Amino acid sequence: MRAALTALALAGGLMATASAQAAGTLTVASPQDPGSWDPVDTFLVNWASVATNIYDGLTYRGPNTELVPGLATSWEELDNGTRIRFKLREGVQFHNGEPFNADAVKFTFDRLMGEEGKKGPQRSNYAAIDHVEVIDNYSVDFHLKASDPVLLIKLAGYGAMIVPPTYITEKGEDYFNAHPVGTGPFKLASYEPKIGIKLEAFADHWGGAPQLSNLNYRFISEPSTAVAELQSGRVDLVIPPTIPIGMIPTIEQDPNIDIVTTASPTVYALRFNTGNGITADERVRKAMIYGVDRQAIIDSILGGQAAPIASFQGELSFGHDPKMQPLPYDPNKAKQLLKEAGVAPGTKIQIDIRGNDATFNEVSQAVASYLQIIGLNATLKPYETNVMLNDIIPAGKTGELFQQNWGGWTLDYDNTAYFMYHTGEKWNPYDSDAELDLLLESQRAITDRAKREEILQSIAQYTANQALEMPLYNLNAIYGVSNRVHNFTPAPDSRLRLSDVTVD
């Protein structure tokens, strides 16, 4: 309770900085149209970079990573952490004029944990929730199956964003996908699939009206085009991971734009098809890891804007073990393992990548070259991002390796590991490991931070021993920003709330 009250004091700063009058338009380049604006439908960072301005959660976590009240003004953990009582903010309304209250909270989580949520990727993130009980119009109890030490952070994003019951009931799910309504500082003006989404200031936001009158997002999948639009002044802000590392010097030389970077939880890996083909053999997977000089890739292609990783998480992640070291670059060891596994020189393998990620395309070409040195004939197969994420990976139709980026926005390894490794999860199309499942499940109910961290670190070590992916690097969040933009604070996870930003 003390933490909640401290957070409440911090939240006062959010409200105090709000402007009484909005002016100006900010145009943002985003690399991807998520295809649906419903919080239960997505895990995409590019969804959150927009929707953080449309929706509010019960809690809020900004760029400084501090958790503060959102639509809940305070909370109290009861019954040994298996019940949380939230006091809700009064006088809040949705963009359509519908009132925010306890019924809206219950509707949101009944929907998330029900059949509609089952269709999307978010429900397992909130699996600890048994049900939500309305106590009065502005109080709710979350009854949990077991305590969840990360739940309060999860309530600050993605599937937990509060949605309007009457609006969704009357308009229907399909309509809501394209016409989102929340309680956030900006409301929908228009949405043109594959082209862009336009928002306008919501003057009645509980934190005060935004400084901007309009917030426009353009979906620009080609990085060079996004940078050109930034240079021309037709775009004010380019969000990660769009900007190719190789273009940073060019941008830095332009007096009208800047590069702004911050430490990020985003990690990159090439995951293995462990279900069939030569990569079903652990020796082959380890051979490929030994065969790639990842530090050289970081130095030569990424311009030092990244750090090597030993597991699929960076230093910001709770569960990161600084004592873990990546497998070293050792091409002789790689060749030895391939020989032991009976893999003939010249064996063909396929690396699936997202076609619009210019920087990773360079990285994957370098990986393919290193694999050629140890005797594997690697070819790259690019996919349109949505096809790869929604069809190829979940259906287990990948090549021997496939690109996986993960934001880890909760700054907790559970948010990565559970989705990547637990049996039946969307991002785990090949593996079913009862021992690993037990480890993943056990840490979710532990409130002792030291004990839980120990289990998370053991999960990282276990998956590294199994070589379930080739860990590559932890990349900084890199933003391109016009000089006409002021009061911009880069978010580590690209979840940008832009209500305090101004433009000339």
Side-chain angles (χ1 to χ4, degrees):
M1 186 63 176
R2 186 183 303 113
L5 293 175
T6 301
L8 179 58
L10 292 171
L14 295 177
M15 300 175 67
T17 58
S19 171
Q21 184 174 4
T25 298
L26 180 76
T27 302
V28 183
S30 178
Q32 182 183 9
D33 179 356
S36 170
W37 297 106
D38 187 336
V40 304
D41 284 347
T42 189
F43 65 96
L44 295 173
V45 170
N46 294 310
W47 178 91
S49 65
V50 178
T52 299
N53 296 286
I54 299 174
Y55 297 104
D56 290 309
L58 294 178
T59 60
Y60 173 74
R61 197 195 72 200
N64 65 359
T65 73
E66 294 290 335
L67 191 72
V68 299
L71 291 176
T73 58
S74 65
W75 49 87
E76 182 180 9
E77 295 188 3
L78 305 166
D79 301 341
N80 297 317
T82 60
R83 180 164 61 98
I84 307 176
R85 174 159 295 180
F86 291 92
K87 294 295 184 181
L88 306 180
R89 196 175 295 278
E90 299 186 27
V92 176
Q93 62 177 339
F94 289 95
H95 300 152
N96 64 334
E98 188 175 335
F100 162 75
N101 52 30
D103 288 335
V105 176
K106 179 173 173 55
F107 174 85
T108 295
F109 287 93
D110 285 352
R111 181 173 178 266
L112 171 62
M113 306 311 294
E115 289 304 309
E116 189 61 28
K118 187 177 181 179
K119 300 174 187 176
Q122 283 294 336
R123 191 170 70 164
S124 66
N125 222 3
Y126 305 88
I129 300 172
D130 184 76
H131 67 281
V132 174
E133 176 189 6
V134 173
I135 303 303
D136 57 44
N137 209 30
Y138 293 102
S139 302
V140 294
D141 278 3
F142 275 52
H143 293 267
L144 309 181
K145 300 170 188 174
S147 61
D148 181 347
V150 196
L151 182 60
L152 290 173
I153 297 173
K154 293 175 184 176
L155 296 180
Y158 293 92
M161 297 292 92
I162 305 301
V163 298
T166 302
Y167 179 81
I168 293 177
T169 302
E170 291 180 351
K171 297 291 188 179
E173 303 289 350
D174 291 340
Y175 186 86
F176 182 59
N177 289 346
H179 302 83
V181 166
T183 64
F186 291 89
K187 62 182 180 180
L188 179 71
S190 65
Y191 168 51
E192 190 174 356
K194 307 294 185 182
I195 303 298
I197 184 169
K198 295 183 177 181
L199 310 180
E200 60 186 34
F202 181 49
D204 294 324
H205 186 250
W206 55 267
Q211 300 274 12
L212 296 164
S213 55
N214 298 94
L215 178 55
N216 297 340
Y217 290 81
R218 293 174 55 193
F219 303 129
I220 304 176
S221 61
E222 177 55 49
S224 61
T225 302
V227 172
E229 292 295 276
L230 178 66
Q231 291 173 312
S232 71
R234 288 186 289 269
V235 160
D236 304 306
L237 176 64
V238 178
I239 62 176
T242 302
I243 294 178
I245 301 292
M247 296 192 74
I248 289 179
T250 301
I251 295 173
E252 289 177 331
Q253 292 171 9
D254 190 321
N256 298 313
I257 53 180
D258 291 314
I259 289 291
V260 179
T261 67
T262 188
S264 163
T266 301
V267 285
Y268 286 73
L270 284 170
R271 301 197 69 204
F272 291 111
N273 177 346
T274 58
N276 51 73
I278 64 169
T279 45
D281 189 321
E282 180 185 314
R283 294 170 296 180
V284 174
R285 301 196 297 270
K286 287 186 175 177
M288 291 187 189
I289 299 172
Y290 278 117
V292 175
D293 190 341
R294 286 157 285 165
Q295 186 62 56
I297 289 173
I298 290 170
D299 294 338
S300 62
I301 297 177
L302 302 179
Q305 290 283 351
I309 53 175
S311 60
F312 201 33
Q313 60 182 323
E315 289 185 2
L316 292 178
S317 170
F318 182 75
H320 174 262
D321 185 351
K323 297 187 297 295
M324 273 188 70
Q325 296 297 315
L327 290 182
Y329 175 52
D330 189 340
N332 292 328
K333 177 72 171 177
K335 292 175 183 177
Q336 176 190 336
L337 286 171
L338 289 176
K339 185 176 181 180
E340 289 177 7
V343 177
T347 297
K348 294 182 179 181
I349 60 170
Q350 178 178 301
I351 304 175
D352 295 345
I353 59 174
R354 306 180 192 183
N356 69 334
D357 190 336
T359 297
F360 197 83
N361 286 356
E362 289 187 57
V363 169
S364 55
Q365 288 168 13
V367 169
S369 297
Y370 278 117
L371 295 179
Q372 186 81 32
I373 293 171
I374 64 172
L376 297 172
N377 183 8
T379 59
L380 307 181
K381 185 169 184 178
Y383 286 96
E384 195 276 325
T385 298
N386 283 346
V387 171
M388 184 168 174
L389 297 181
N390 295 317
D391 179 22
I392 300 302
I393 296 175
K397 297 188 291 188
T398 74
E400 283 74 16
L401 299 97
F402 57 96
Q403 177 183 353
Q404 187 63 281
N405 320 342
W406 199 254
W409 73 275
T410 62
L411 307 184
D412 189 291
Y413 186 45
D414 167 79
N415 182 250
T416 303
Y418 202 95
F419 283 110
M420 294 297 119
Y421 311 126
H422 194 279
T423 300
E425 286 297 319
K426 180 177 182 178
W427 308 117
N428 178 24
Y430 299 116
D431 290 298
S432 181
D433 185 324
E435 183 178 351
L436 184 52
D437 285 350
L438 184 61
L439 284 170
L440 289 163
E441 292 160 7
S442 67
Q443 56 82 30
R444 283 195 155 185
I446 295 174
T447 56
D448 184 323
R449 281 180 61 85
K451 185 175 181 182
R452 184 168 172 270
E453 182 177 40
E454 183 180 341
I455 295 175
L456 289 172
Q457 290 176 344
S458 71
I459 291 170
Q461 188 64 64
Y462 186 97
T463 57
N465 291 341
Q466 297 288 323
L468 299 183
E469 66 259 322
M470 180 191 296
L472 292 173
Y473 51 84
N474 175 199
L475 185 67
N476 289 341
I478 304 169
Y479 295 85
V481 188
S482 166
N483 287 349
R484 70 185 291 264
V485 177
H486 306 287
N487 299 328
F488 170 73
T489 302
D493 54 9
S494 297
R495 295 172 60 247
L496 294 168
R497 175 155 285 202
L498 297 167
S499 44
D500 288 339
V501 169
T502 62
V503 291
D504 290 335

